[in-house]
Amino acid sequence: MTKALISVTGMDATGIIARVATKLSEMNINILDITQTILGGYFTMMMVVDLDGANMEFSAIDEALQPVRDELSMTIHMQRMDIFDAMHRI
């Protein structure tokens, strides 16, 4: 399974989770775990996703998220989970 960590940050607004989840679903990307919080009007979400169903290169998936970034005026960052794990291993 090829996993990635997706972070979404920016000013809170209605429909952020729905818009991001819809885009991922359109690419056949499964959300494995999700957490979100709002602090002082600032929205933060972390998602662990399974990229295997996408049949797209990592860079193409990241590029496909650009319209969502633009539409929501949010920062959406995607990182390979194996790299994330390696960076945080003691």
Side-chain angles (χ1 to χ4, degrees):
M1 180 182 309
T2 306
K3 294 181 185 178
L5 179 68
I6 297 176
S7 64
V8 180
T9 56
M11 295 307 295
D12 188 32
T14 303
I16 296 169
I17 297 170
R19 183 65 185 98
V20 174
T22 297
K23 186 61 178 178
L24 294 174
S25 176
E26 289 170 358
M27 293 186 286
N28 202 33
I29 295 172
N30 188 36
I31 299 169
L32 301 173
D33 201 359
I34 183 173
T35 184
Q36 63 89 31
T37 191
I38 301 165
L39 297 170
Y42 200 73
F43 177 89
T44 301
M45 176 169 62
M46 301 289 283
M47 309 169 91
V48 176
V49 298
D50 176 5
L51 302 177
D52 287 346
N55 294 319
M56 299 169 68
E57 295 292 325
F58 185 88
S59 59
I61 295 168
D62 191 49
E63 186 176 314
L65 290 170
Q66 190 58 48
V68 180
R69 289 180 185 99
D70 296 340
E71 176 187 336
L72 297 174
S73 298
M74 304 288 283
T75 299
I76 301 176
H77 181 74
M78 187 169 72
Q79 184 174 13
R80 289 179 176 86
M81 199 68 183
D82 55 348
I83 294 172
F84 180 83
D85 288 341
M87 287 174 35
H88 294 90
R89 192 171 299 137
I90 296 177

Coordinates of all heavy atoms in Angstrom, one line a residue:
M1 N 0.8 -1.2 0.0 CA 0.0 0.0 0.0 C 0.9 1.2 0.0 O 1.8 1.4 0.8 CB -0.9 0.0 1.2 CG -1.8 1.2 1.3 SD -2.9 1.2 2.8 CE -3.6 -0.4 2.8
T2 N 0.6 2.2 -0.9 CA 1.3 3.4 -1.0 C 0.5 4.5 -0.2 O -0.5 4.9 -0.7 CB 1.6 3.8 -2.4 OG1 2.2 2.8 -3.1 CG2 2.4 5.1 -2.5
K3 N 1.1 4.9 0.9 CA 0.4 5.9 1.7 C 1.0 7.3 1.6 O 2.2 7.4 1.3 CB 0.4 5.5 3.2 CG -0.3 4.3 3.5 CD -0.2 4.0 5.0 CE -0.8 2.7 5.4 NZ -0.7 2.5 6.9
A4 N 0.2 8.3 1.8 CA 0.7 9.7 1.8 C 0.0 10.4 2.9 O -1.1 10.0 3.4 CB 0.3 10.4 0.5
L5 N 0.6 11.5 3.4 CA 0.1 12.3 4.4 C -0.3 13.6 3.7 O 0.6 14.2 3.0 CB 1.1 12.6 5.5 CG 0.7 13.5 6.6 CD1 -0.4 12.9 7.5 CD2 1.9 13.9 7.5
I6 N -1.5 14.1 3.9 CA -2.0 15.3 3.3 C -2.4 16.2 4.4 O -3.1 15.9 5.3 CB -3.2 15.1 2.3 CG1 -2.8 14.2 1.2 CG2 -3.8 16.4 1.9 CD1 -4.0 13.8 0.3
S7 N -1.8 17.4 4.4 CA -2.2 18.5 5.4 C -2.9 19.6 4.6 O -2.5 20.0 3.5 CB -1.0 19.0 6.1 OG -0.1 19.6 5.2
V8 N -3.9 20.1 5.3 CA -4.7 21.2 4.7 C -4.8 22.3 5.8 O -5.2 22.0 6.9 CB -6.1 20.7 4.3 CG1 -7.0 21.9 3.8 CG2 -6.1 19.5 3.4
T9 N -4.4 23.5 5.5 CA -4.4 24.6 6.5 C -4.9 25.9 5.8 O -4.6 26.1 4.6 CB -3.0 24.8 7.1 OG1 -2.1 25.1 6.1 CG2 -2.6 23.6 7.9
G10 N -5.5 26.7 6.6 CA -6.0 28.0 6.1 C -7.1 28.5 7.0 O -7.5 27.9 8.0
M11 N -7.7 29.6 6.5 CA -8.9 30.2 7.3 C -10.1 29.2 7.1 O -10.3 28.7 6.1 CB -9.2 31.6 6.8 CG -8.1 32.6 7.0 SD -7.6 32.7 8.7 CE -9.0 33.3 9.5
D12 N -10.8 29.0 8.2 CA -11.9 28.1 8.2 C -13.1 28.7 7.3 O -13.3 29.9 7.2 CB -12.5 28.0 9.7 CG -13.5 26.9 9.8 OD1 -13.4 25.9 9.0 OD2 -14.4 27.0 10.6
A13 N -13.7 27.7 6.7 CA -14.9 28.0 5.8 C -15.7 26.8 5.7 O -15.2 25.6 6.0 CB -14.4 28.5 4.4
T14 N -16.9 26.9 5.3 CA -17.8 25.8 5.1 C -17.4 24.9 3.9 O -17.0 25.4 2.9 CB -19.3 26.3 4.9 OG1 -19.6 27.1 6.0 CG2 -20.2 25.1 4.7
G15 N -17.4 23.6 4.1 CA -17.2 22.7 3.0 C -15.7 22.2 2.7 O -15.5 21.6 1.7
I16 N -14.8 22.6 3.6 CA -13.4 22.3 3.3 C -13.2 20.7 3.2 O -12.7 20.2 2.2 CB -12.4 22.9 4.3 CG1 -12.5 24.4 4.3 CG2 -11.0 22.4 4.1 CD1 -11.8 25.1 5.4
I17 N -13.7 20.0 4.2 CA -13.5 18.6 4.3 C -14.2 18.0 3.1 O -13.6 17.1 2.4 CB -14.0 18.0 5.6 CG1 -13.2 18.6 6.8 CG2 -13.9 16.5 5.6 CD1 -13.7 18.2 8.1
A18 N -15.4 18.4 2.8 CA -16.2 17.8 1.7 C -15.5 18.0 0.4 O -15.4 17.1 -0.5 CB -17.6 18.5 1.7
R19 N -14.9 19.2 0.1 CA -14.3 19.5 -1.1 C -13.0 18.7 -1.3 O -12.8 18.2 -2.4 CB -14.0 21.0 -1.2 CG -13.4 21.4 -2.5 CD -14.4 21.3 -3.7 NE -13.8 21.5 -5.0 CZ -13.3 20.6 -5.8 NH1 -13.4 19.4 -5.5 NH2 -12.7 21.0 -6.9
V20 N -12.2 18.6 -0.3 CA -11.0 17.8 -0.4 C -11.3 16.3 -0.6 O -10.7 15.7 -1.4 CB -10.0 18.1 0.8 CG1 -8.8 17.2 0.8 CG2 -9.6 19.5 0.9
A21 N -12.2 15.8 0.2 CA -12.6 14.4 0.2 C -13.2 14.1 -1.2 O -12.9 13.0 -1.7 CB -13.6 14.1 1.3
T22 N -14.0 15.0 -1.7 CA -14.6 14.7 -3.1 C -13.5 14.6 -4.1 O -13.6 13.7 -5.0 CB -15.6 15.9 -3.4 OG1 -16.7 15.8 -2.5 CG2 -16.2 15.7 -4.8
K23 N -12.5 15.5 -4.1 CA -11.5 15.5 -5.1 C -10.7 14.2 -5.0 O -10.3 13.5 -6.0 CB -10.5 16.7 -4.9 CG -9.5 16.8 -6.0 CD -10.1 16.9 -7.4 CE -9.1 17.1 -8.5 NZ -9.8 17.1 -9.8
L24 N -10.4 13.8 -3.7 CA -9.7 12.5 -3.5 C -10.5 11.3 -4.0 O -9.9 10.4 -4.7 CB -9.3 12.3 -2.1 CG -8.3 13.3 -1.5 CD1 -8.2 13.1 0.0 CD2 -7.0 13.3 -2.2
S25 N -11.8 11.3 -3.8 CA -12.6 10.3 -4.3 C -12.7 10.2 -5.8 O -12.7 9.1 -6.4 CB -14.1 10.5 -3.7 OG -14.9 9.5 -4.2
E26 N -12.7 11.4 -6.4 CA -12.7 11.4 -7.9 C -11.4 10.8 -8.5 O -11.4 10.2 -9.6 CB -12.8 12.9 -8.4 CG -14.1 13.5 -8.2 CD -14.1 15.0 -8.4 OE1 -13.0 15.6 -8.7 OE2 -15.2 15.6 -8.3
M27 N -10.3 10.8 -7.7 CA -9.1 10.2 -8.1 C -8.9 8.7 -7.6 O -7.9 8.1 -7.7 CB -7.9 11.0 -7.7 CG -7.8 12.4 -8.4 SD -6.3 13.3 -8.0 CE -6.7 13.9 -6.3
N28 N -10.0 8.2 -7.0 CA -10.0 6.9 -6.4 C -8.9 6.7 -5.3 O -8.3 5.7 -5.2 CB -9.8 5.8 -7.5 CG -10.3 4.5 -7.0 OD1 -11.3 4.4 -6.3 ND2 -9.7 3.4 -7.5
I29 N -8.8 7.8 -4.5 CA -7.8 7.8 -3.4 C -8.7 7.6 -2.1 O -9.6 8.3 -1.8 CB -7.0 9.1 -3.3 CG1 -6.1 9.2 -4.5 CG2 -6.2 9.1 -2.0 CD1 -5.4 10.5 -4.7
N30 N -8.3 6.6 -1.3 CA -9.0 6.2 -0.1 C -8.4 6.9 1.1 O -7.2 6.9 1.3 CB -9.0 4.7 0.1 CG -9.9 4.3 1.3 OD1 -11.0 4.8 1.5 ND2 -9.5 3.3 2.0
I31 N -9.3 7.5 1.9 CA -8.9 8.2 3.2 C -8.8 7.1 4.2 O -9.9 6.5 4.5 CB -9.8 9.3 3.6 CG1 -9.9 10.4 2.5 CG2 -9.4 9.9 4.9 CD1 -11.0 11.4 2.7
L32 N -7.7 6.9 4.8 CA -7.5 5.9 5.9 C -7.7 6.4 7.3 O -8.2 5.7 8.1 CB -6.1 5.3 5.7 CG -5.7 4.6 4.4 CD1 -4.3 4.2 4.4 CD2 -6.7 3.4 4.1
D33 N -7.3 7.7 7.5 CA -7.4 8.3 8.8 C -7.5 9.8 8.5 O -6.9 10.3 7.6 CB -6.2 8.0 9.6 CG -6.4 8.1 11.1 OD1 -7.5 8.6 11.5 OD2 -5.5 7.9 11.9
I34 N -8.2 10.5 9.4 CA -8.4 11.9 9.3 C -8.5 12.6 10.6 O -9.2 12.0 11.5 CB -9.6 12.2 8.3 CG1 -9.7 13.7 8.1 CG2 -10.8 11.6 8.9 CD1 -10.8 14.1 7.1
T35 N -8.0 13.7 10.8 CA -8.2 14.5 12.0 C -8.2 16.0 11.6 O -7.5 16.4 10.7 CB -7.1 14.3 13.1 OG1 -7.5 15.0 14.3 CG2 -5.7 14.7 12.6
Q36 N -9.0 16.8 12.3 CA -9.1 18.2 11.9 C -9.4 19.0 13.2 O -10.0 18.4 14.1 CB -10.1 18.4 10.8 CG -11.6 18.1 11.1 CD -12.3 19.3 11.8 OE1 -12.0 20.4 11.5 NE2 -13.3 19.0 12.6
T37 N -9.0 20.2 13.2 CA -9.3 21.1 14.3 C -9.4 22.5 13.8 O -8.9 22.8 12.7 CB -8.3 20.9 15.5 OG1 -8.8 21.6 16.6 CG2 -7.0 21.5 15.1
I38 N -10.1 23.3 14.6 CA -10.1 24.8 14.3 C -9.6 25.5 15.5 O -10.1 25.3 16.6 CB -11.6 25.2 13.9 CG1 -12.1 24.4 12.7 CG2 -11.6 26.7 13.6 CD1 -13.6 24.5 12.5
L39 N -8.6 26.4 15.3 CA -8.1 27.2 16.4 C -8.2 28.6 16.0 O -7.5 29.0 15.0 CB -6.6 26.8 16.6 CG -6.4 25.4 17.1 CD1 -4.9 25.1 17.1 CD2 -6.9 25.2 18.5
G40 N -9.0 29.4 16.7 CA -9.1 30.8 16.4 C -9.4 31.1 15.0 O -8.9 32.1 14.4
G41 N -10.3 30.3 14.4 CA -10.7 30.5 13.0 C -9.8 30.0 12.0 O -10.0 30.1 10.8
Y42 N -8.7 29.3 12.4 CA -7.7 28.7 11.5 C -7.9 27.2 11.4 O -7.9 26.5 12.5 CB -6.3 29.1 12.0 CG -5.3 28.9 10.9 CD1 -5.2 29.9 9.9 CD2 -4.4 27.9 10.9 CE1 -4.2 29.7 8.9 CE2 -3.4 27.7 10.0 CZ -3.3 28.7 8.9 OH -2.4 28.5 8.0
F43 N -8.2 26.7 10.3 CA -8.5 25.3 10.0 C -7.3 24.5 9.8 O -6.4 24.9 9.0 CB -9.5 25.2 8.8 CG -9.8 23.8 8.4 CD1 -10.9 23.2 9.0 CD2 -9.1 23.1 7.5 CE1 -11.3 21.9 8.7 CE2 -9.4 21.8 7.1 CZ -10.5 21.2 7.7
T44 N -7.1 23.3 10.4 CA -6.0 22.4 10.1 C -6.6 21.0 10.0 O -7.3 20.6 10.9 CB -5.0 22.5 11.3 OG1 -4.5 23.8 11.4 CG2 -3.8 21.5 11.0
M45 N -6.2 20.3 9.0 CA -6.6 18.9 8.8 C -5.4 18.1 8.3 O -4.6 18.5 7.5 CB -7.7 18.8 7.7 CG -8.1 17.4 7.4 SD -9.6 17.3 6.4 CE -9.1 18.1 4.9
M46 N -5.3 16.9 8.9 CA -4.3 15.9 8.5 C -5.0 14.6 8.0 O -5.9 14.2 8.7 CB -3.3 15.6 9.6 CG -2.6 16.8 10.2 SD -1.4 17.4 9.1 CE -0.1 16.2 9.4
M47 N -4.6 14.1 6.9 CA -5.2 12.9 6.4 C -4.1 11.9 6.0 O -3.1 12.3 5.4 CB -6.0 13.2 5.1 CG -7.0 14.3 5.2 SD -7.7 14.8 3.6 CE -9.1 13.8 3.6
V48 N -4.3 10.6 6.3 CA -3.5 9.6 5.8 C -4.3 8.9 4.7 O -5.5 8.5 4.9 CB -3.1 8.6 6.9 CG1 -2.3 7.4 6.2 CG2 -2.3 9.3 8.0
V49 N -3.7 8.8 3.5 CA -4.5 8.3 2.4 C -3.8 7.2 1.7 O -2.5 7.1 1.8 CB -4.8 9.4 1.3 CG1 -5.7 10.5 1.9 CG2 -3.5 10.0 0.7
D50 N -4.5 6.3 1.0 CA -4.0 5.2 0.2 C -4.0 5.6 -1.3 O -5.1 5.9 -1.8 CB -4.8 4.0 0.4 CG -4.4 2.8 -0.4 OD1 -3.3 2.9 -1.1 OD2 -5.1 1.7 -0.4
L51 N -2.8 5.7 -1.9 CA -2.7 6.2 -3.3 C -2.8 5.1 -4.3 O -2.9 5.4 -5.5 CB -1.4 6.9 -3.5 CG -1.1 8.1 -2.6 CD1 0.3 8.7 -2.9 CD2 -2.2 9.2 -2.7
D52 N -2.9 3.8 -3.9 CA -2.8 2.7 -4.8 C -3.9 2.7 -5.9 O -3.7 2.4 -7.0 CB -2.8 1.4 -4.1 CG -1.5 1.1 -3.4 OD1 -0.5 1.8 -3.7 OD2 -1.4 0.2 -2.6
G53 N -5.1 3.2 -5.5 CA -6.2 3.1 -6.5 C -6.2 4.2 -7.5 O -6.9 4.2 -8.5
A54 N -5.3 5.2 -7.3 CA -5.3 6.4 -8.2 C -4.8 6.1 -9.6 O -5.2 6.8 -10.5 CB -4.5 7.5 -7.5
N55 N -3.9 5.2 -9.7 CA -3.3 4.9 -11.1 C -2.7 6.2 -11.7 O -2.9 6.5 -12.9 CB -4.3 4.3 -12.0 CG -4.7 2.9 -11.5 OD1 -3.8 2.1 -11.1 ND2 -6.0 2.6 -11.6
M56 N -2.1 7.0 -10.8 CA -1.5 8.3 -11.3 C -0.2 8.4 -10.5 O 0.0 7.9 -9.4 CB -2.4 9.5 -10.9 CG -3.7 9.5 -11.5 SD -4.8 10.8 -10.7 CE -4.0 12.3 -11.3
E57 N 0.8 9.1 -11.1 CA 2.0 9.4 -10.5 C 1.8 10.4 -9.3 O 0.8 11.2 -9.3 CB 3.0 10.0 -11.4 CG 3.4 9.1 -12.6 CD 4.3 8.0 -12.1 OE1 5.1 8.2 -11.1 OE2 4.2 6.9 -12.6
F58 N 2.6 10.3 -8.3 CA 2.5 11.2 -7.1 C 2.4 12.7 -7.6 O 1.5 13.4 -7.1 CB 3.7 11.0 -6.2 CG 3.7 11.8 -4.9 CD1 3.0 11.2 -3.8 CD2 4.2 13.0 -4.8 CE1 3.0 11.9 -2.6 CE2 4.2 13.7 -3.6 CZ 3.5 13.1 -2.5
S59 N 3.3 13.1 -8.5 CA 3.3 14.5 -8.9 C 1.9 14.9 -9.6 O 1.5 16.0 -9.5 CB 4.4 14.8 -9.8 OG 4.4 13.9 -11.0
A60 N 1.3 14.0 -10.3 CA 0.1 14.2 -11.0 C -1.1 14.4 -10.0 O -2.0 15.2 -10.2 CB -0.3 13.1 -12.0
I61 N -1.0 13.6 -8.9 CA -2.0 13.7 -7.9 C -1.9 15.1 -7.2 O -2.9 15.8 -7.0 CB -1.9 12.6 -6.8 CG1 -2.2 11.2 -7.5 CG2 -2.8 12.8 -5.6 CD1 -1.8 10.1 -6.6
D62 N -0.7 15.5 -6.9 CA -0.4 16.8 -6.3 C -0.9 17.9 -7.2 O -1.5 18.9 -6.7 CB 1.1 16.9 -5.9 CG 1.3 18.1 -5.1 OD1 0.6 18.3 -4.1 OD2 2.3 18.9 -5.4
E63 N -0.6 17.8 -8.5 CA -1.1 18.8 -9.4 C -2.6 18.8 -9.5 O -3.2 19.9 -9.7 CB -0.5 18.5 -10.8 CG -0.7 19.5 -11.9 CD 0.0 19.2 -13.2 OE1 1.1 18.8 -13.2 OE2 -0.7 19.3 -14.2
A64 N -3.2 17.7 -9.4 CA -4.7 17.6 -9.5 C -5.4 18.3 -8.3 O -6.5 18.7 -8.4 CB -5.2 16.2 -9.6
L65 N -4.6 18.5 -7.2 CA -5.1 19.2 -6.0 C -5.1 20.7 -6.2 O -5.7 21.4 -5.4 CB -4.4 18.7 -4.8 CG -4.7 17.3 -4.3 CD1 -3.7 16.9 -3.2 CD2 -6.1 17.1 -3.8
Q66 N -4.3 21.2 -7.2 CA -4.2 22.6 -7.3 C -5.5 23.4 -7.4 O -5.6 24.4 -6.8 CB -3.2 23.0 -8.5 CG -2.8 24.4 -8.5 CD -2.1 24.9 -7.2 OE1 -1.2 24.2 -6.8 NE2 -2.5 26.0 -6.7
P67 N -6.4 22.9 -8.2 CA -7.7 23.7 -8.3 C -8.4 23.8 -6.9 O -9.1 24.8 -6.7 CB -8.5 22.9 -9.3 CG -7.5 22.1 -10.1 CD -6.4 21.8 -9.2
V68 N -8.3 22.8 -6.1 CA -8.9 22.8 -4.8 C -8.1 23.8 -3.9 O -8.8 24.6 -3.2 CB -8.8 21.4 -4.1 CG1 -9.4 21.4 -2.7 CG2 -9.5 20.4 -5.0
R69 N -6.8 23.8 -4.0 CA -6.0 24.9 -3.3 C -6.5 26.2 -3.7 O -6.7 27.1 -2.8 CB -4.5 24.7 -3.6 CG -3.8 23.6 -3.1 CD -2.3 23.6 -3.5 NE -1.6 22.4 -3.1 CZ -1.4 21.4 -3.9 NH1 -1.8 21.4 -5.2 NH2 -0.7 20.3 -3.5
D70 N -6.7 26.5 -5.0 CA -7.1 27.8 -5.5 C -8.5 28.1 -5.1 O -8.7 29.3 -4.6 CB -6.9 27.8 -7.0 CG -5.5 27.7 -7.5 OD1 -4.6 27.9 -6.7 OD2 -5.3 27.3 -8.7
E71 N -9.4 27.2 -5.2 CA -10.8 27.4 -4.9 C -11.0 27.8 -3.4 O -11.8 28.7 -3.0 CB -11.6 26.2 -5.2 CG -13.1 26.2 -4.8 CD -13.8 24.9 -5.1 OE1 -13.3 24.1 -5.9 OE2 -14.8 24.7 -4.4
L72 N -10.3 27.0 -2.5 CA -10.5 27.2 -1.1 C -9.5 28.2 -0.5 O -9.6 28.6 0.7 CB -10.3 25.9 -0.4 CG -11.3 24.8 -0.7 CD1 -10.8 23.5 0.0 CD2 -12.7 25.2 -0.3
S73 N -8.5 28.7 -1.3 CA -7.4 29.5 -0.7 C -6.8 28.9 0.5 O -6.6 29.5 1.5 CB -8.0 30.9 -0.4 OG -8.5 31.6 -1.5
M74 N -6.4 27.6 0.3 CA -5.9 26.8 1.4 C -4.5 26.3 1.0 O -4.2 26.2 -0.2 CB -6.7 25.6 1.7 CG -8.2 25.9 2.1 SD -8.4 26.6 3.7 CE -8.2 25.3 4.8
T75 N -3.7 26.0 2.0 CA -2.4 25.3 1.7 C -2.7 23.8 1.8 O -3.2 23.4 2.8 CB -1.3 25.7 2.7 OG1 -1.1 27.1 2.6 CG2 0.0 25.0 2.5
I76 N -2.4 23.1 0.8 CA -2.6 21.6 0.8 C -1.2 21.1 0.4 O -0.7 21.3 -0.7 CB -3.7 21.2 -0.2 CG1 -5.0 21.8 0.1 CG2 -3.8 19.6 -0.2 CD1 -6.1 21.5 -0.8
H77 N -0.7 20.3 1.4 CA 0.7 19.7 1.2 C 0.5 18.2 1.2 O -0.1 17.7 2.1 CB 1.6 20.2 2.2 CG 3.0 19.7 2.1 ND1 3.9 20.1 1.2 CD2 3.6 18.7 2.8 CE1 5.0 19.4 1.3 NE2 4.9 18.6 2.3
M78 N 1.1 17.5 0.3 CA 1.1 16.1 0.2 C 2.5 15.5 0.3 O 3.4 16.0 -0.4 CB 0.4 15.6 -1.0 CG 0.2 14.1 -1.1 SD -0.8 13.5 -2.4 CE 0.2 13.8 -3.8
Q79 N 2.7 14.5 1.2 CA 4.1 14.0 1.4 C 3.9 12.4 1.4 O 3.0 11.9 2.1 CB 4.7 14.5 2.7 CG 6.1 14.0 2.9 CD 6.7 14.7 4.1 OE1 6.0 15.3 5.0 NE2 8.0 14.5 4.3
R80 N 4.9 11.8 0.8 CA 4.9 10.3 0.9 C 5.1 9.9 2.3 O 5.9 10.4 3.0 CB 6.0 9.7 0.0 CG 5.7 9.9 -1.4 CD 6.9 9.3 -2.2 NE 6.7 9.3 -3.7 CZ 6.9 10.3 -4.5 NH1 7.4 11.5 -4.0 NH2 6.6 10.3 -5.7
M81 N 4.3 8.9 2.8 CA 4.3 8.5 4.2 C 5.6 7.8 4.5 O 6.1 8.0 5.6 CB 3.1 7.5 4.4 CG 2.8 7.4 5.9 SD 2.1 8.9 6.5 CE 1.9 8.5 8.2
D82 N 6.2 7.1 3.6 CA 7.5 6.4 3.9 C 8.6 7.5 4.1 O 9.4 7.3 5.0 CB 7.9 5.5 2.8 CG 8.0 6.1 1.4 OD1 7.5 7.2 1.2 OD2 8.5 5.4 0.5
I83 N 8.5 8.6 3.4 CA 9.5 9.7 3.6 C 9.2 10.4 5.0 O 10.1 10.6 5.8 CB 9.5 10.7 2.5 CG1 10.0 10.0 1.2 CG2 10.3 11.9 2.8 CD1 9.9 10.8 0.0
F84 N 8.0 10.6 5.2 CA 7.6 11.2 6.5 C 8.0 10.4 7.7 O 8.6 10.9 8.6 CB 6.0 11.4 6.6 CG 5.5 12.0 7.8 CD1 5.6 13.4 8.0 CD2 5.0 11.2 8.9 CE1 5.1 14.0 9.2 CE2 4.6 11.8 10.0 CZ 4.6 13.2 10.2
D85 N 7.8 9.0 7.6 CA 8.2 8.1 8.7 C 9.7 8.1 8.8 O 10.2 8.1 10.0 CB 7.7 6.7 8.4 CG 6.2 6.5 8.5 OD1 5.6 7.4 9.2 OD2 5.7 5.6 8.0
A86 N 10.5 8.1 7.7 CA 11.9 8.1 7.8 C 12.4 9.4 8.4 O 13.4 9.4 9.2 CB 12.5 7.9 6.4
M87 N 11.8 10.5 8.2 CA 12.2 11.8 8.7 C 12.0 11.9 10.2 O 12.7 12.6 10.9 CB 11.5 13.0 8.1 CG 11.9 13.2 6.7 SD 10.9 14.5 5.8 CE 10.5 15.7 7.1
H88 N 11.0 11.1 10.7 CA 10.7 11.2 12.1 C 11.1 10.0 12.9 O 10.6 9.8 14.1 CB 9.2 11.5 12.3 CG 8.8 12.8 11.7 ND1 8.5 13.0 10.4 CD2 8.8 14.0 12.3 CE1 8.2 14.3 10.2 NE2 8.4 14.9 11.3
R89 N 11.9 9.2 12.4 CA 12.4 8.0 13.0 C 13.6 8.3 13.9 O 14.4 9.1 13.5 CB 12.8 6.9 12.0 CG 13.1 5.5 12.6 CD 13.3 4.5 11.6 NE 12.1 4.4 10.7 CZ 12.2 4.3 9.4 NH1 13.3 4.3 8.8 NH2 11.1 4.2 8.7
I90 N 13.6 7.8 15.1 CA 14.7 8.1 16.1 C 15.8 7.2 15.8 O 15.7 6.1 15.5 CB 14.2 8.0 17.5 CG1 13.1 9.0 17.8 CG2 15.4 8.1 18.5 CD1 12.5 8.9 19.1

